[in-house]
Amino acid sequence: MEARIRRIYVKNLLRVRLAASGGARNAHVSHIHSASCVPAATTSLPLATIFRNIACALSIAGFSSLSLAQGDAVIDEIISPDLERREIREAKIDSEDFEFTAYLGGIMNVEDFGSNALYGGSLAYHINEDFFMEAAYGQTTLGESSYERLSGSAPLLTEEERELSMYNLSLAWNFLPGEIFIFDKWALNSNLYLIGGVGNTSFADQEHFTYNVGVGVRMLAQDWLALRLDMRDHIFEHEIFGEPLTTNNLSAQLGISIYF
């Protein structure tokens, strides 16, 4: 019976010594305790010595656990940041998803008729965060053509025929959301979008099927208010000069958008 107890003691003592000497921080302490508590020969030890050595081994394990816990606490104290968090409020698009835009100022260059002021507006429905559909209307007045200016002949168009109006239905993709910083004081949520669609352009008593493609940027000032800059190319064909001519007519407009 006594021999069996000794064998169990030796096995447990070896396990404790290996565990206590595994960490670099406690290797020296483990060696001191092991040397003072464990005799060199364990084949013929009395029971009192066995119990004393078991108590020493348990103290080594407890000391190692305490040292590890203290070391973890010191590391947490060193790397834990002490920062004051500030509350940031970001503007978000109103959940109703409808957007009305009034173009306060714009310009349109109709090929061969010069550049003139453009007025109009649009109504958009935001399908999700990435896509929206838009119906837009615009109006401008044509200037003199290069033929009229160079030849000095009678005008090709009357004043009424120089009134150009257009409407289109387009689909847009918000492909680059981000922020725009103003004077290092304000950060406005923004969206850069690509847009394209089809519509109709009317002038000189004629209707012209029109494609439009373009790019724009939207900056959110409030949850319900945004500033919008839009640039388009309106492509249509006309025969005012006697032959079919496909034209690229560029426009740029700045507007205020309201969400409802």
Side-chain angles (χ1 to χ4, degrees), residues 65-82:
S65 300
L66 180 61
S67 299
L68 289 175
Q70 291 176 346
D72 292 340
V74 172
I75 292 176
D76 290 340
E77 184 178 353
I78 293 174
I79 67 175
S80 297
D82 185 14

Side-chain angles (χ1 to χ4, degrees), residues 125-146:
Y125 172 71
H126 291 263
I127 303 171
N128 52 40
E129 293 182 355
D130 297 323
F131 297 96
F132 66 91
M133 296 184 65
E134 179 190 79
Y137 176 82
Q139 186 173 347
T140 186
T141 301
L142 302 180
E144 290 185 339
S145 65
S146 58

Side-chain angles (χ1 to χ4, degrees), residues 34-51:
S34 299
S36 62
C37 294
V38 181
T42 59
T43 58
S44 60
L45 293 176
L47 289 177
T49 304
I50 291 175
F51 291 142

